[in-house]
Amino acid sequence: MSTPLARRDDRDDRGTVVVSGLASDAHTWNLVYLQLVIEELGYHVVNLGPCVPDDVLVDACRRIDPALVVIGSVNGHGRTDGLRAITRLRACPELAATPMVIGGKLTVSDENVGHHARALVAAGFDAVFPDQASDAADFTAFVTSLPPVAQPVLSAGRPR
């Protein structure tokens, strides 16, 4: 029996998560689904959408300084595009400690899923959620295990 997710209004803001597709992946609904799940877990989400070039992903993550980066793949090129993207992301010192995950259809074949997942982890992803070997509960367990990120306190007007 599954337990309902906590409503965003009932939780503190845990930080900002960047959700993104990869350069060759034009699918959108998976990213919308991820955004909704992550928002239900108490995070603010910046959804970059599909067909995100690597440099746009890197620049957005550097600017946003997210608590987590989530990359979704549906077209079967998650391994290839993901390896290239994580290499670029991890090359930025300010993103070195940022948790980053990838999930979905990693290859056009369902063979060697574990091997491909291990290659993605070795390249720098903190977790991999292949559609053939994981489910939404695995992903939400990972996200809820992350510590909340302190957000800067913003104020308007003159200091008192």
Side-chain angles (χ1 to χ4, degrees), residues 133-156:
S134 61
D135 60 24
D138 297 326
F139 175 72
T140 57
F142 177 87
V143 175
T144 57
S145 74
L146 297 174
V149 174
Q151 296 296 303
V153 176
L154 303 176
S155 62

Side-chain angles (χ1 to χ4, degrees), residues 108-154:
V108 294
S109 167
D110 289 342
E111 297 175 14
N112 300 317
V113 173
H115 170 76
H116 298 305
R118 286 187 297 279
L120 288 160
V121 169
F125 282 103
D126 294 281
V128 178
F129 301 97
D131 63 354
Q132 306 94 332
S134 61
D135 60 24
D138 297 326
F139 175 72
T140 57
F142 177 87
V143 175
T144 57
S145 74
L146 297 174
V149 174
Q151 296 296 303
V153 176
L154 303 176

Side-chain angles (χ1 to χ4, degrees), residues 72-114:
S73 175
V74 174
N75 71 350
H77 299 288
R79 180 183 187 273
T80 305
D81 289 355
L83 287 172
R84 189 183 61 246
I86 195 65
T87 300
R88 297 270 318 271
L89 288 162
R90 291 297 186 206
C92 300
E94 63 268 41
L95 299 173
T98 303
M100 298 185 194
V101 301
I102 188 169
K105 188 149 179 71
L106 302 178
T107 64
V108 294
S109 167
D110 289 342
E111 297 175 14
N112 300 317
V113 173

